[in-house]
Amino acid sequence: MFRLAQLASRFSAKDGAKFGLPIFAASVSAAVVLSSNTSCEDDAVHPISLPWNHYGPLNSFDAASIRRGQQVYQQVCASCHGASRVAYRNLVGVAYTEEEVKRLIENITVEDGPNAEGNMFERPAKLFDYMQSPYKNEGQARAANNGALPPDLSLIVKARHGFEDYIFTLLTGYQDPPAGISVRPGLYYHPYFPGGAIGMPPPLMDGAVEYEDGTPATASQMAKDVTTFLAWCAEPEHDQRKKMGVEFVGIMIVCAGLAGYMKRFKWAPIKSRKVDFRP
């Protein structure tokens, strides 16, 4: 189909005059229809656009949602997924204090080494450590998940078409397969996932975690919070970047005002003066 669309799109006005206007019009119509069909994923439903709090030129991340999302990640997602580009120290000043982060990771151990004897050893996690995968290598990860490889979640929001909308829909869009569609054992029907079947079981259910701030832990609320947390993981400089943008625009406005003043009251009389030469 895509090859046919390419061939049809190569027709020009001269080709239309040569082969006849009806053939030319039909070819162009076929090119438009086929190219639009091949440019999207026909085997997956596209997620709807959702009003995220951090969208907009002056909006920032919801720190409370990041904190709740980190709790969902730690208690639900971290059993299969890592976030190897995010260090625990990055949470300080965003959703936790330094002491809170230290208490958060006091029961986490990481592999370090080698030591003086050349052996690897485990030690308590520190602020400079990263959120590593629970598996030591890809083979171990696939063996524990029926051949599927759980992706690293550090940049998952930026790595998927649809961004936050896709992640939220992926977590909440599990459905029973409709009549006439069968799913292989070990897979779950998901209309928003390419292919319609996903190896990850539904990760969220109402009450799976107990939020510290008393927010009801419904499946949709947890999906929203963990998606916000993953969006922050993919772009931790988000708020600082927008703040610098506002400062830059403010400075540029002041500079533009000063430039206008200089132009109007300083240089205008000099540029508009008349020089009279009398020998």
Side-chain angles (χ1 to χ4, degrees), residues 133-157:
S133 169
Y135 307 108
K136 295 183 178 181
N137 51 60
E138 179 179 337
Q140 187 184 54
R142 290 187 181 277
N145 293 276
N146 296 322
L149 178 63
D152 186 271
L153 300 183
S154 304
L155 303 175
I156 195 68
V157 171

Side-chain angles (χ1 to χ4, degrees), residues 203-277:
L204 302 176
M205 60 184 65
D206 294 343
V209 301
E210 184 177 352
Y211 284 139
E212 300 172 348
D213 58 1
T215 301
T218 61
S220 57
Q221 179 66 50
M222 289 185 290
K224 181 258 185 183
D225 292 333
V226 75
T227 301
T228 301
F229 171 71
L230 294 177
W232 170 81
C233 289
E235 202 174 8
E237 79 288 350
H238 174 275
D239 293 353
Q240 184 65 23
R241 174 171 51 80
K242 287 187 176 179
K243 181 180 178 181
M244 292 177 62
V246 172
E247 294 174 350
F248 174 77
V249 171
I251 293 174
M252 292 303 296
I253 291 175
V254 173
C255 291
L258 293 176
Y261 172 82
M262 294 294 293
K263 170 68 176 178
R264 177 67 180 82
F265 297 103
K266 295 296 183 181
W267 288 103
I270 298 176
K271 289 186 176 182
S272 61
R273 66 183 178 179
K274 180 179 179 181
V275 179
D276 188 11
F277 177 72

Side-chain angles (χ1 to χ4, degrees), residues 61-270:
F61 278 119
D62 183 356
S65 185
I66 293 177
R67 182 173 180 133
R68 293 193 299 267
Q70 195 280 332
Q71 184 179 351
V72 175
Y73 167 81
Q74 193 66 43
Q75 297 183 18
V76 179
C77 308
S79 59
C80 296
H81 299 272
S84 58
R85 295 178 181 269
V86 182
Y88 294 108
R89 66 171 181 268
N90 297 136
L91 295 169
V92 177
V94 176
Y96 296 91
T97 64
E98 182 175 342
E99 293 301 321
E100 286 177 328
V101 176
K102 288 181 178 179
R103 290 196 300 268
L104 187 70
I105 63 176
E106 61 183 2
N107 296 324
I108 299 176
T109 59
V110 297
E111 187 179 44
D112 201 352
N115 55 19
E117 300 176 354
N119 299 321
M120 304 299 288
F121 61 94
E122 290 189 347
R123 59 168 176 78
K126 299 183 180 297
L127 291 178
F128 54 77
D129 288 318
Y130 289 80
M131 303 178 186
Q132 298 294 336
S133 169
Y135 307 108
K136 295 183 178 181
N137 51 60
E138 179 179 337
Q140 187 184 54
R142 290 187 181 277
N145 293 276
N146 296 322
L149 178 63
D152 186 271
L153 300 183
S154 304
L155 303 175
I156 195 68
V157 171
K158 296 299 182 183
R160 295 295 184 268
H161 177 73
F163 307 114
E164 291 93 337
D165 298 333
Y166 173 79
I167 302 301
F168 178 86
T169 306
L170 183 72
L171 295 173
T172 59
Y174 287 86
Q175 301 178 13
D176 294 329
I181 295 181
S182 59
V183 180
R184 291 190 294 112
L187 298 180
Y188 301 85
Y189 178 73
H190 202 305
Y192 296 94
F193 188 77
I198 185 173
M200 179 177 68
L204 302 176
M205 60 184 65
D206 294 343
V209 301
E210 184 177 352
Y211 284 139
E212 300 172 348
D213 58 1
T215 301
T218 61
S220 57
Q221 179 66 50
M222 289 185 290
K224 181 258 185 183
D225 292 333
V226 75
T227 301
T228 301
F229 171 71
L230 294 177
W232 170 81
C233 289
E235 202 174 8
E237 79 288 350
H238 174 275
D239 293 353
Q240 184 65 23
R241 174 171 51 80
K242 287 187 176 179
K243 181 180 178 181
M244 292 177 62
V246 172
E247 294 174 350
F248 174 77
V249 171
I251 293 174
M252 292 303 296
I253 291 175
V254 173
C255 291
L258 293 176
Y261 172 82
M262 294 294 293
K263 170 68 176 178
R264 177 67 180 82
F265 297 103
K266 295 296 183 181
W267 288 103
I270 298 176

